[in-house]
Structures are given as structure tokens and as C-alpha cells.
Amino acid sequence: MLSAASVLLRSETEKDAELLVLRHEKSGLRRQLAGVNHRTRPERPYIHLTKPGQFRSVVQLLPTTVTGMRALWVPASQLGAVMPVIPVVEQLASDGHDVTAIACGALELQRSSVAAAVRFISFPTTVKHTGREEESTASSRLEHIETQDEKERRIFDRTVQEIADITAAVEMVRPDVILGDPFVMGTTLAGEILGVPVVSLIHHLFDEGASHYWPHQHVWMRRNPSSPEGFVEWWNELRGKLDLPPESRPATEAHWWPHSRDASILMTHPVVRYRARPLPAYARVAMPQMWEPTDTSDVLASIVDAMRGSQRTQVLVTTSSLWQPDNGFVWSAIQACEELGWDATTTIPSVRDPVDRVGAAHSFLPHSRLLAAADVVVTGAGLGTALRAVESRTPLLFCPSRWTNPKYRKRDTTHIAEVLTEMGVAERVFQEDMTPEVMRTALERLVSRRGNMRRRFAMFDSALRASLKSGAILDIRGLCDVIRQVAERGRVPSG
């Protein structure tokens, strides 16, 4: 009681001085922890939590008064899942908020580039997608030979492990909000168990009228494809095993259940929304701002200069992801360009073949700069490359896989290629039909029409401007405001 009274009698200057001392001590502790078990020291600390209990007592000593909110980012390890979220966390960091990410495959590759905005923690027990093609292929094979009971048990075990890792991270970071990736299903469940609000950032094609999400594909569509009853039953069984009550949202929103009821954000262009429906009260749409790596060398400038200085047609060939190198269409495009006498420049995350036939082969170069110098881009139809090409008015040749189950769902790349082809700004050739001859014919047809195609790109701009003006879609600032509001609603008042 005497201590409390003394606090009330202190001057504001004394209180400010004490806060400065505490923040200095906190910075000192972080610098001490920053050297633990990592090879290259980033700009922000990287803490490897091999024994979380050892750090718990230290973290609890840190001051709880911060100028902004604390956010814990739980990313999936696919490259396409990470790229749209990096600008969001960079914006949060520039606004004075503290963002910590659980390290994973694709995000780890960009750690040095985003270290100024994100602090990393790592758990050796975390088992998620690694971003490696061979391991993803092995997982796909496993899915085809498993029984339904084995599949559902594996989903449950994986979810429990994710919840355990997220729980440990929450104990370390004490976040005000969790930024969740839909591919890590344990995120929203962990947030509910721990009482921490979650914002789901939905980066993949989402079927707003039915089901388009991996738990649905493996449970709903195998138990009862004609209705959500099978998934509803399984989801509530899962919640019961975690000592959670049955889902309170209506069964008509069952495809939203794995996403957060605090806030779920569809990160997509309004033109490519899939089976758009009226959104639940907790859902919004946000236009993704695609992150691009910082170019610290002269490589990019020399490539762009060479592309702009050449009199030949310039073709940019890019693949979709680390674990989907799509080498078939890449090398068909390169051979077709050779036969046509055109220049091919590639950005290939996983280059395994000789690149003697390529003008340049590099990973993670900013596409906005390259697309501005290209006459056409050949791509696997990922959303990031498609949106960048739309911005730069560069005609597209999409090479999606035909793999899809028309009874259940459509693959995201198939849908994106279909929409943009119908709008007259792209051509589409399925990978299963791909040969150098087919590629050459498609490229010639595309380049011959590029003048007319570029005029049609204006439709995308007008649709986006109208959506932003009406508030139907958020920009990155609006998305960050939603995250902040969710954090404030969930923050427990001090004292």
C-alpha cells in the first residue's frame, strides 16, 4: 500500500525516467538473447527457443507498457502465403507496433530482408510445410494412400502440435493479436483457447459459396459432399477433444469456421473473387500489396538495361513457388523463345537444369521492374505475378495445371487464368498440354494481340478504384487499422 501511494506522489518526470530505464533494460536483454544459436545476426533479434521454459522467467520480467500493440505472426511456409503478408507486417512495424513471427520455410529465406520489421522465434518441434518440393510430393503421395480415419487423425495430430507451438510462442511474446494463416489450422483454435484475438489473412483462392480449404477437401467432401454435415460433425469433434464448446456460428458458414470470428480478411483483387457472396459480419476484403525483395546489387539494373536495350521481343518466365518449380512450362518457353529469336529472362526459385539457354536466371528479383521491360510474361498463374502484370499492363500467358476436381472445387491458378483470359488480357495453355510447339504458337498469338490487350487492362483499374472508393475493399492502411482494432478489443486493461 505504501508503494502504491508513492507511485501516485511521483512526478511525471520520475515516471518517464523509470520507463526509459525499463526500456533500456529490455533492449539489453534482447541484445543478449539475439546471439543465441543463429549463424548470421539480423537487424532484429532472432531467438531460438529450444527450451521455452528457460526464457519464460526472463520474458515475464520485461515491462508490459509498450507504445504500440504486440502481434504474433503465424505464417505457413509456402512462398505465396508469405509474400502478401510481409507488406502488412512492415506497415505495422513502421506504425510503431511490435511484430514477432514463428520462423518457417519460405519466410526464413527472406529473414535478412524483413529483419527490420519482424523478430523471429523458432521451435525445433514445429512440423509444417517446409517449402521443399520433395517433401511436399511425399506428403501428397501419403494423402492418396491413407484411409479416411488415418487422414483425419493426421490432421488432428498436426493441429494439436500447431496449438502447442503457438501456445509456447504466446507465452513468450504475450501478443495483443495473432496474425493467422489459414493453412495453419491450429491458429484460430489456439487463439480461442488462450483468449487472444486472431486475424485470419486468407491469401489463397477461397470459395465463398461452398468449401475450398484443405480440411474441407479431406473431411467435408469425403464424408458428405452434398452438405456440410460431415464437416460440422468432425469440426465439433475436434473442438470437443480440445475442451472447446461446439461451434457457435451457423452451419451455413461452415466454410468460414477454420477462419477467425474476430476478423477474417480475404486478400484478393475484386475481379478474381471466387463465387462471391455477402460476407459474414467479421469478414472483409483487402487488396494485397505484393512484397518485393530489396535489390542490393547491380544484377537487377543490368538485366533491365539489357531487356530495354534489345530490339528483340522480351519474355519474362516465372514460376509459382519454391515447391512448385513447374520446370516443364519454363523450359518449353525457353525453347520456344530460342526458335522465335526472342529473349527469355527467368526468375526461378528452384533452378535445377542448366541455364545456358537463359538470358538470366535469378530468384526473388522485383517483378515490377522486370515486367515494365517485358513484352509478355509466362507464368504458372499465381496471384502475385498476375496482379503485378495487371499493374504494368503486361500481357500474360498462363500455364496452370489442369489438376482439379470439378465436382468439389477449382484450383486457384485455374480460376485466375480463366478469369483473365475471358477478360481478354491473357492466353492460357495447360501444363498437361505443354510442348515447345504449343508454347511457340501461344506466344506468337499473344504478342500479336498485345496492343489491344493493354487497353483492356483498364477494366481492372476501374473495378479496383470503385471498390476502394466505396469501402467494399480495404487498402493496406485499412487492413492494418482492422488489426489494430481487433487487438484493442481483446486487450485486457492493466490493473
Side-chain angles (χ1 to χ4, degrees):
M1 292 178 65
L2 291 174
S3 298
S6 66
V7 170
L8 295 174
L9 295 173
R10 285 182 190 174
S11 68
E12 290 298 320
T13 303
E14 289 175 315
K15 293 176 184 177
D16 291 341
E18 184 171 354
L19 279 176
L20 287 173
V21 171
L22 287 171
R23 287 173 183 163
H24 178 75
E25 291 174 353
K26 180 178 179 181
S27 300
L29 284 169
R30 283 180 171 168
R31 283 194 295 272
Q32 293 172 34
L33 295 175
V36 177
N37 196 19
H38 61 80
R39 289 171 293 181
T40 306
R41 181 172 180 175
E43 295 177 28
R44 304 268 321 254
Y46 178 88
I47 308 171
H48 193 71
L49 302 174
T50 53
K51 294 182 179 179
Q54 293 181 351
F55 293 91
R56 196 164 299 141
S57 59
V58 174
V59 174
Q60 289 174 349
L61 293 175
L62 302 180
T64 57
T65 302
V66 293
T67 56
M69 68 177 177
R70 286 185 294 263
L72 174 65
W73 178 19
V74 184
S77 58
Q78 292 95 328
L79 192 63
V82 169
M83 292 296 192
V85 183
I86 293 178
V88 178
V89 298
E90 288 183 334
Q91 182 64 54
L92 290 173
S94 69
D95 291 342
H97 305 300
D98 193 55
V99 182
T100 302
I102 296 179
C104 67
L107 183 58
E108 271 287 87
L109 295 175
Q110 307 300 333
R111 177 157 63 93
S112 60
S113 299
V114 300
V118 182
R119 182 178 299 104
F120 289 79
I121 56 176
S122 177
F123 298 96
T125 58
T126 302
V127 182
K128 297 186 180 73
H129 297 297
T130 62
R132 295 181 180 177
E133 178 193 6
E134 59 272 16
E135 295 189 23
S136 177
T137 302
S139 176
S140 297
R141 284 197 299 266
L142 179 62
E143 291 176 358
H144 289 297
I145 64 175
E146 285 178 315
T147 66
Q148 185 62 20
D149 287 343
E150 290 172 337
K151 189 181 299 293
E152 292 182 15
R153 191 180 309 117
R154 182 162 64 90
I155 294 173
F156 173 75
D157 291 342
R158 170 177 161 176
T159 302
V160 169
Q161 182 61 67
E162 290 169 353
I163 291 173
D165 286 345
I166 294 166
T167 299
V170 167
E171 290 178 352
M172 303 300 155
V173 178
R174 295 185 295 169
D176 300 302
V177 65
I178 298 173
L179 308 180
D181 188 286
F183 288 161
V184 186
M185 193 175 67
T187 308
T188 54
L189 295 167
E192 188 174 351
I193 291 169
L194 300 168
V196 181
V198 176
V199 176
S200 292
L201 301 175
I202 307 171
H203 54 79
H204 63 290
L205 182 70
F206 183 69
D207 187 339
E208 299 173 45
S211 61
H212 190 122
Y213 183 54
W214 68 268
H216 296 100
Q217 298 162 28
H218 297 313
V219 179
W220 183 335
M221 293 304 181
R222 286 174 169 82
R223 284 192 173 196
N224 190 349
S226 61
S227 77
E229 292 176 2
F231 179 77
V232 168
E233 179 185 5
W234 174 80
W235 180 258
N236 284 325
E237 287 175 1
L238 172 64
R239 291 177 61 86
K241 292 176 182 177
L242 299 171
D243 294 326
L244 290 171
E247 180 64 58
S248 60
R249 286 174 283 185
T252 54
E253 294 181 11
H255 51 297
W256 287 92
W257 285 4
H259 307 302
S260 174
R261 71 187 72 187
D262 299 312
S264 290
I265 310 295
L266 290 171
M267 302 178 70
T268 188
H269 194 288
V271 172
V272 298
R273 282 178 65 183
Y274 185 44
R275 295 181 182 173
R277 297 289 192 278
L279 300 174
Y282 49 83
R284 297 292 303 271
V285 180
M287 177 64 186
Q289 178 177 322
M290 294 300 165
W291 179 79
E292 292 186 339
T294 302
D295 180 61
T296 57
S297 67
D298 297 329
V299 172
L300 178 62
S302 63
I303 294 174
V304 172
D305 289 344
M307 293 174 70
R308 291 189 182 279
S310 175
Q311 300 300 312
R312 304 201 298 180
T313 300
Q314 298 298 311
V315 179
L316 174 64
V317 186
T318 177
T319 57
S320 55
S321 177
L322 278 177
W323 62 280
Q324 295 173 324
D326 303 327
N327 285 339
F329 85 77
V330 170
W331 299 107
S332 292
I334 292 169
Q335 185 172 336
C337 288
E338 274 191 323
E339 295 171 359
L340 291 167
W342 297 354
D343 290 335
T345 300
T346 66
T347 55
I348 307 176
S350 176
V351 181
R352 296 188 176 183
D353 297 305
V355 294
D356 297 340
R357 297 169 291 172
V358 191
H362 301 278
S363 298
F364 309 119
L365 288 178
H367 277 175
S368 61
R369 296 273 302 278
L370 295 173
L371 284 165
D375 296 297
V376 61
V377 57
V378 181
T379 173
L383 181 61
T385 303
L387 293 183
R388 288 189 181 101
V390 167
E391 280 184 24
S392 64
R393 303 286 203 276
T394 305
L396 296 120
L397 176 52
F398 287 126
C399 301
S401 172
R402 187 181 274 108
W403 177 84
T404 186
N405 190 331
K407 182 178 179 181
Y408 299 155
R409 70 184 187 101
K410 185 178 290 185
R411 193 181 181 192
D412 53 350
T413 54
T414 309
H415 172 72
I416 292 167
E418 180 180 285
V419 170
L420 271 71
T421 300
E422 289 178 352
M423 295 190 72
V425 297
E427 292 273 346
R428 178 185 62 183
V429 179
F430 287 109
Q431 292 180 25
E432 291 81 357
D433 303 330
M434 184 60 65
T435 64
E437 293 74 24
V438 170
M439 175 67 77
R440 184 176 65 249
T441 301
L443 281 171
E444 288 180 310
R445 184 168 59 246
L446 185 67
V447 170
S448 68
R449 298 173 49 215
R450 66 178 183 235
N452 181 56
M453 283 185 172
R454 283 176 172 165
R455 287 190 292 271
R456 299 181 69 87
F457 278 114
M459 293 185 295
F460 287 87
D461 288 342
S462 60
L464 181 59
R465 283 196 300 270
S467 297
L468 288 168
K469 186 176 181 180
S470 67
I473 187 170
L474 302 169
D475 58 13
I476 191 168
R477 173 66 67 183
L479 172 54
C480 290
D481 287 343
V482 169
I483 294 171
R484 180 181 50 78
Q485 291 163 12
V486 170
E488 289 176 353
R489 288 200 304 267
R491 185 177 288 166
V492 178
S494 60

